Amino acid sequence: MRQTLTSDVRVTKDSGYTIPWHQRRKTRQTIQALIVYALLLPGAIIFLFPLVWMLSTAVKPENQIFLFPPKWIPEPILWSNFWDGWNKFLPFNLFLRNTLIITVNNIFGNLVSSCLAAYGFARLRARGKNIFFMLVLGTMLLPNEVTIIPQYVLFSLLKWNDSWLPLMVPPWFGWPFFIFLLRQFFMNIPHELDEAARLDGASSWRILWNIILPLSKPAIASVVIFAFIGNWNNFLAPLIYIRSLDRQVLAVGLNMFRGQYGQTNFGYMMAVALLVLMPVLIVFFVGQRVFIQGIATSGLKG
Amino acid sequence: MQTIIPSKRRSFSLKQREEIDFYLAIGLWLIGFILFTGGPILASLLFSFTDWTGVNISKAKWVGLANFHQLLFDDKLFWIATRNTFYYSFGSVIFGTLGAFIIALLLNQKLPGSTLLRVIYYLPSIASGVAISILWLWLFNPQSGLINYTLSLVGIKGPMWLGSQQWALPALVLKSLWGIGANMVILLAGLQGIPVPLYEAARIDGASKWSEFRNITVPMLSPVLFFVLVISTIASFQIFTDVRVMTQGGPGTATYVIVYFIYQTAFEYLKMGYSSALAWLLFLIIFILTLLQLWGSRRWVYYESGERT
């Protein structure tokens, strides 16, 4: 323990004593870094390989898929698998259009309703506010499955079955996780700003629109990204509500593809799966910094 | 935003107007809560006491606790599903949290390339859904999948994975570990929130690395660790997509889990009453587990107010 102390305080300068190389701070740091890399790099490769494998299978001719040992780079590289898989079996273009419409609507709905609620919880004083906020937190912990059956009954009574309404209406009524995330962010904006605006006679809505929202772009961006990925991947709700093929979405379509063309066509299946995944990957890479920040803040300050 | 902006009416004081604005602001959420959450919760509780089967609710009869009785004492499938769900949950939560913690610790240093590593570890956790379940179906393929190929390189003959009673559930746990990046990012943020002077003070006192870890890192991070544990337990109990896409509960009942049970009972067999009871049991299990974690957390979670609460 003494040694750690002496090597940190630089004795070398004044006294003639030189620290042996293996005790020098620089060397120690380098060794430490090497150990960390040695531990992290294999893991990183393991984490990446499934996706590489996915791409490799996606461009394989059928007769090379089950080769053992596998060929990482097939000959020839069949880019046409993407086109064929997408167009020759199920109407994926239609699924894509449907998914896009629903996702865009849901992002807007989530954003508008959650921003409003979060603003109320973060910045407006009212009696009973804490009780309502406890309800928000409570529903965050509640498993979906408890409400999904009665919701199904409700939407059946409204004759919304086999339409997009059960998917597109609820997002306009707030999403607890987004309300929570935005509230945490709004809370940290200095109160002097809206207090001053209020004295000047600005309404609550003006404050939200002109002060709070412009200062909250990172939080809004992470909500948009979360909402995009969540809705894009949503599987259970369309599975339950949508029956007609021409109203179906990508996630369920992809599972149908698996069910119908089964265990043999892994090349086409990987190609189509990769295409479905692509927008998520792109959004992730474009927004990765904001996104990581968003998820990090959501975990703190409970 | 179709809310009516209250004009400068003198009849309300500033304080009252703020209160009205609050209710307008949370209005959409509140309506949604009543229609899509609160109401349904009560409705599902009512359903769970009926024998409602099929589409028409008017034929439903009140059966009291019969559904719960049947589930707990007569329905073997319920216990199989519960056991499988617990198995999956313990596996994925314990290994997932531990793994995320270790990676976060390693990444929590200023090293060249650490941002890239962070992105790589994080990436799989956002790539969820059907596309990824299908990918893992292929990775687990016993003859030509990547996993058994890799095992064969080190001389191990891999199991049948999803085709084997014994290995199907562990396979799902393994797949879940691919997504630990989300937890890692939360833990990493927690680590970076620990004040540096604490470590400096410890170093001056001559503390070893291990004692720094035990006496500073773990207690300071414990609230975040606790949060991660609770969140991942709840999420793990809701596993559905993987089961539906990869195994359909099989082989046999090897991966039959509670949510898949609920889904089949409600939407394939249309036993609405029975499945509502099942959903409530799931909710109770999650609720009790969360309470247990909360209770257990008194022993190890440290809050900065100074004392262990």
Side-chain angles (χ1 to χ4, degrees), chain A residues 150-161 166 170 241, chain B residues 36:
Chain A
Q151 271 184 22
Y152 178 79
V153 174
L154 174 72
F155 294 141
S156 306
L157 286 176
L158 294 170
K159 302 253 180 296
W160 283 6
N161 265 334
Y241 289 112
Chain B
F36 303 129

Side-chain angles (χ1 to χ4, degrees), chain B residues 263-283:
Chain B
Y263 167 79
Q264 277 207 321
T265 322
F267 302 108
E268 284 179 13
Y269 310 137
L270 296 175
K271 288 156 104 183
M272 295 301 184
Y274 198 61
S275 57
S276 296
L278 192 54
W280 268 90
L281 284 179
L282 173 68
F283 177 52

Side-chain angles (χ1 to χ4, degrees), chain A residues 195-233:
Chain A
E195 230 110 274
R198 218 171 259 282
L199 284 180
D200 289 345
S203 73
S204 300
W205 318 113
R206 226 193 137 76
I207 294 171
L208 172 63
W209 188 251
N210 288 343
I211 297 175
I212 305 288
L213 290 183
L215 287 173
S216 306
K217 279 176 194 148
I220 291 170
S222 33
V223 166
V224 169
I225 298 172
F226 275 122
F228 171 76
I229 294 176
N231 283 295
W232 190 263
N233 286 334

